[in-house]
Every structure is written in C-alpha cells, then in structure tokens.
C-alpha cells in the first residue's frame, strides 16, 4: 500500500507542472450601454429612441506552452458576444491565432489585428462606443483580417510589427501572391511618450490601382493628464480607389478625483469623392472606476457629415455604460 501511495505521489509531483503549464486562461469583458439615440439623414429623422446595447462584449481563451531553450508556443481564441442576437448569430470572431514566442519576438498565424490598427495605442478614449475612432470615416484602418502571418518584435524602447496577408484568390478577381496586403508599424515608447508610424499597402485585387493608408499617432502623459494626436491619410483598400481621406484627431483625458476621470475627443475627416465630404466626430465623457476590473461612464457623442446634398448625417448618443472584465 505504501509503495502505491509513493508511486501516486511521485506521479502527481511530475504531472503538476505539466498540468499547470497546459492550463489555459479564460477571460472576457461585458460592455453594455443605455441611452438616447438620435440619427438623422438628409434632414429626416431615421432613429429617435432609447437603446440598451452591447459593445464588443467578448469571451476568450489564451495560453502558452514552454518548448524549452527559451521558446514557447502561444495561442489565443476570442469571440465577440452579442446578447441581442440568439443562436450562432450572437457570436463573431475576433483575434484567433497560434504561434511561437522567443527572445527574438513573436510569430503569429491566423486572424489578427493589423499593425496599423494596433499602432493607435491609447489614443482612442472612446473605444467600442458610438464615438470609437473607426466611426469617424470610411478609411479608418481598423482592420482585423483572416490569413495573417504576423511578426512582432522589440528592441529597447522601439517596437515593430509586420503582417503579410495573402488574398488566396485566382489572380483574376482576387490576389494570388504571398502578401497581397501588407501592414507594418514602428513605435517608440519612453516613459510618458508614445509615438507610432504605420503603413498599410493593398495590392491590385479588384482590377484597380494599388492603395495605401498611412497613420501617425502620438500620446504624452503629464501627471494625471494624457494628450493624444492622430493624423492619417490614404485609401484603405482596392475597392475604394480614388476615395482618399485625410484625418486629424485629438484626444484628452485627466483625473478629476481618485476614481473619476474626464475625457474628450475630436476627429475631423475630409475626402475627395465625387461629392466631397467633411465629417466630425466629437465626444465628452466621465469615467468612474469601481475597482480594477469594473468601471462605468457617462458620455455624449455627435457625428456630423456634410456632403452638400440631402444625405447629410447627424447622429447623437447620450447615456451611460458599464464595463466588467473577468
């Protein structure tokens, strides 16, 4: 009997680190808002009501496995969950990848945010709300793509990333090369300063000329305040050739007490379409931090687009939100 107990103890001791190493981390976020929504197009009110909405609520699993010699296997699978839709329609894919990690950086394969998207850093103070950066214009660069081969590296205060995305097409209606789209970024971060430059390049996948989008963004922290600036210009993809957009944005956040912060953001967008468009997206809000993983907010946002015709847009939101992480 003693021999059996000793054998079980030894086996348990050997298996414990293996089980701990293989155990994945389950995580998630619930983000809900309730407020007044008014939408107007061409002088006609299309929406005027109160809405309870989910904003990129998600659940995911991630982990890594030690392969020895400083090399690890990594994985992450994340789903967006929308409580307003039942069945399979309530789930949508977010980042889903596997890869390798070492002292030289990381290589990731799968569905992934582009380096240009990631380059925004902490600029966007209203992410996943009606005032999210991506809602300011058409060429937003906020892309999460399939078939991505990405490399992320770091040297001192400099971070860099590049993603190659094959079109996986027949060469006639879609690209057939090893990298029909390329996204790359380089960022410098030192204490309160963050500066990043990113570029997306899109190959001729629909019989149109190559297009590209360039982003320059920076944030600077001064005590309890943070100021952010963003500029970007270009065309996001081949299907929108000749529709360049120029963006200019500023964001601001400051603590007003131990648990409360005030924030504001303003983004201007101009394009050169046949009917030129000028748009602005502005927002102000107050955040309250209940604890490390729970926060609430009050906010107001307004999106205006002037096209010089009857399709002018004027959308507003005023309400409150709750964010819980686990």
């Amino acid at each position: 009997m003693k021999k059996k107990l000793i054998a079980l103890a030894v086996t348990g001791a050997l298996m414990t680190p293996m089980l701990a190493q293989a155990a994945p981390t389950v995580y998630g976020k619930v983000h809900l808002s309730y407020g007044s929504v008014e939408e107007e197009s061409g002088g006609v009110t299309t929406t005027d009501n109160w809405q309870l909405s989910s904003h990129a609520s998600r659940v995911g699993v991630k982990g890594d496995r030690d392969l020895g010699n400083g090399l690890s296997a990594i994985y992450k699978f994340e789903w967006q969950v929308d409580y307003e839709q039942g069945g399979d329609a309530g789930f949508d894919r977010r980042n889903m990848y596997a890869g390798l990690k070492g002292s030289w950086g990381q290589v990731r394969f799968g569905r992934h945010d582009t380096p240009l998207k990631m380059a925004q850093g902490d600029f966007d103070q209203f992410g996943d709300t009606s005032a999210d950066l991506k809602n300011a214009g058409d060429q937003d660069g906020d892309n999460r793509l399939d078939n991505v081969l990405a490399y992320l590296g770091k040297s001192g205060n400099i971070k860099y990333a590049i993603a190659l995305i094959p079109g996986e097409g027949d060469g006639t209606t879609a690209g057939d090369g090893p990298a029909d789209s390329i996204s790359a970024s380089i960022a410098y971060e030192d204490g309160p300063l963050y500066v990043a430059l990113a570029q997306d390049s899109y190959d001729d996948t629909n019989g149109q000329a190559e297009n590209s989008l360039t982003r320059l963004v920076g944030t600077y922290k001064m005590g309890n305040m943070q100021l952010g600036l963003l500029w970007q210009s270009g065309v996001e993809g081949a299907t929108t050739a000749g529709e360049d957009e120029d963006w200019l944005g500023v964001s601001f956040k400051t603590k007003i007490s131990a648990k409360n912060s005030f924030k504001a953001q303003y983004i201007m967008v101009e394009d050169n379409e046949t009917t030129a468009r000028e748009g602005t997206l502005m927002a102000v809000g107050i955040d309250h931090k209940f604890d490390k993983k729970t926060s609430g907010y009050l906010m107001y946002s307004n999106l205006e687009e002037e096209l010089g015709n009857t399709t002018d847009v004027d959308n507003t939101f005023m309400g409150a939100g709750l964010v819980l992480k686990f």
Side-chain angles (χ1 to χ4, degrees), residues 89-106:
F91 290 88
D92 195 11
R93 298 174 303 131
R94 292 176 60 84
N95 284 346
M96 295 182 168
Y97 61 82
L100 297 173
K101 178 176 69 175
S103 59
W104 40 265
Q106 298 184 31

Side-chain angles (χ1 to χ4, degrees), residues 107-137:
V107 175
R108 299 175 179 177
F109 310 85
R111 181 171 173 83
H112 203 281
D113 292 342
T114 64
L116 187 140
K117 178 184 178 182
M118 296 188 294
Q120 69 175 271
D122 294 330
F123 170 85
D124 193 352
Q125 297 296 327
F126 293 87
D128 296 333
T129 71
S130 58
D132 190 301
L133 168 68
K134 66 184 179 183
N135 296 327

Side-chain angles (χ1 to χ4, degrees), residues 44-179:
V44 178
T45 299
T46 57
T47 302
D48 186 2
N49 56 26
W50 285 73
Q51 297 181 10
L52 178 63
S53 302
S54 175
H55 302 275
S57 297
R58 68 201 65 167
V59 63
V61 58
K62 61 183 178 180
D64 59 70
R65 177 172 298 174
D66 188 0
L67 302 178
N69 298 317
L71 186 65
S72 298
I74 57 175
Y75 61 90
K76 180 177 182 179
F77 293 87
E78 187 173 289
W79 294 265
Q80 183 167 311
V81 183
D82 190 347
Y83 79 95
E84 296 177 297
Q85 300 185 48
D88 295 338
F91 290 88
D92 195 11
R93 298 174 303 131
R94 292 176 60 84
N95 284 346
M96 295 182 168
Y97 61 82
L100 297 173
K101 178 176 69 175
S103 59
W104 40 265
Q106 298 184 31
V107 175
R108 299 175 179 177
F109 310 85
R111 181 171 173 83
H112 203 281
D113 292 342
T114 64
L116 187 140
K117 178 184 178 182
M118 296 188 294
Q120 69 175 271
D122 294 330
F123 170 85
D124 193 352
Q125 297 296 327
F126 293 87
D128 296 333
T129 71
S130 58
D132 190 301
L133 168 68
K134 66 184 179 183
N135 296 327
D138 292 334
Q139 318 302 327
D140 53 73
D142 194 32
N143 294 316
R144 179 181 296 118
L145 303 177
D146 293 327
N147 311 318
V148 172
L149 167 59
Y151 169 71
L152 291 75
K154 181 179 180 180
S155 178
N157 294 327
I158 298 177
K159 295 181 180 179
Y160 40 89
I162 185 168
L164 309 180
I165 306 101
E168 297 193 357
D170 57 13
T172 301
T173 59
D176 59 357

Side-chain angles (χ1 to χ4, degrees), residues 287-304:
D287 289 343
H288 177 75
K289 192 172 184 179
F290 295 100
D291 60 23
K292 290 183 178 181
K293 294 188 176 183
T294 309
S295 62
Y297 61 84
L298 300 172
M299 67 169 284
Y300 169 84
S301 68
N302 175 248
L303 171 66
E304 290 187 355

Side-chain angles (χ1 to χ4, degrees), residues 114-127 133 142 159 185-189 194-198 215-219 221 226 228-230 251 265:
T114 64
L116 187 140
K117 178 184 178 182
M118 296 188 294
Q120 69 175 271
D122 294 330
F123 170 85
D124 193 352
Q125 297 296 327
F126 293 87
L133 168 68
D142 194 32
K159 295 181 180 179
S185 68
I186 183 168
Y188 175 82
E189 187 170 15
Y194 172 83
V195 180
L197 176 65
R215 169 178 288 176
L216 178 64
V217 63
T219 58
K221 296 179 181 179
Q226 177 181 291
L229 296 173
L230 176 141
S251 65
Q265 193 159 289

